[in-house]
Amino acid sequence: MEEKCDHIDETLIKQMMEIIPSDENISRMGNVFQALQSETRLKILFLLTNKEMCVCELNYALDVTQSAISHSLRTLRQLDLVRVKKEGRYAVYHIADDHVRLLIEMCKQHVIEEGK
């Protein structure tokens, strides 16, 4: 027979469980973190936090195939991390919103501070 843990505050734990996002939103969050496991996608996001860029600029900056850039951008667009707009004959990509910018910046700061 298991000994009852006297450290459990059932009321507090129930309150905490209510703030957990829905299963659908947890899944979407997991997809975002999974997408950020790619070094190419992270580099694209870092570049786009500073400047809107087209595929050819990203290709030049990262020195990876245009196919790899396009595939990464497709993934980032599907997760609404980046958005695209047409400028003449070019598709120009940019960070979707300030939430994404903050996520990338906070992650960077966390890693830099932990590395000290």
Side-chain angles (χ1 to χ4, degrees), residues 26-37:
I26 287 287
S27 177
R28 291 176 65 201
M29 291 168 65
N31 290 339
V32 168
F33 285 109
Q34 186 175 9
L36 298 180
Q37 290 179 351

Side-chain angles (χ1 to χ4, degrees), residues 30-76:
N31 290 339
V32 168
F33 285 109
Q34 186 175 9
L36 298 180
Q37 290 179 351
S38 161
E39 290 182 15
T40 298
R41 288 190 288 260
L42 276 173
K43 288 175 182 178
I44 289 170
L45 289 171
F46 277 110
L47 289 171
L48 295 181
T49 60
N50 292 297
K51 178 187 182 304
E52 296 179 348
M53 300 176 83
C54 67
V55 173
C56 56
E57 290 175 300
L58 291 166
N59 175 249
Y60 178 82
L62 299 176
D63 194 30
V64 296
T65 66
Q66 189 167 340
S67 169
I69 298 290
S70 295
H71 178 72
S72 292
L73 286 168
R74 185 176 334 110
T75 299
L76 295 171

Side-chain angles (χ1 to χ4, degrees), residues 54-108:
C54 67
V55 173
C56 56
E57 290 175 300
L58 291 166
N59 175 249
Y60 178 82
L62 299 176
D63 194 30
V64 296
T65 66
Q66 189 167 340
S67 169
I69 298 290
S70 295
H71 178 72
S72 292
L73 286 168
R74 185 176 334 110
T75 299
L76 295 171
R77 283 181 61 202
Q78 288 170 342
L79 294 168
D80 198 29
L81 297 174
V82 301
R83 295 186 182 145
V84 63
K85 63 183 177 183
K86 288 294 258 180
E87 287 186 5
R89 62 186 189 129
Y90 295 99
V92 178
Y93 292 84
H94 58 95
I95 294 293
D97 58 33
D98 286 336
H99 298 116
V100 177
R101 191 177 312 280
L102 182 60
L103 174 67
I104 297 304
E105 185 57 36
M106 289 177 72
C107 182
K108 179 178 119 183

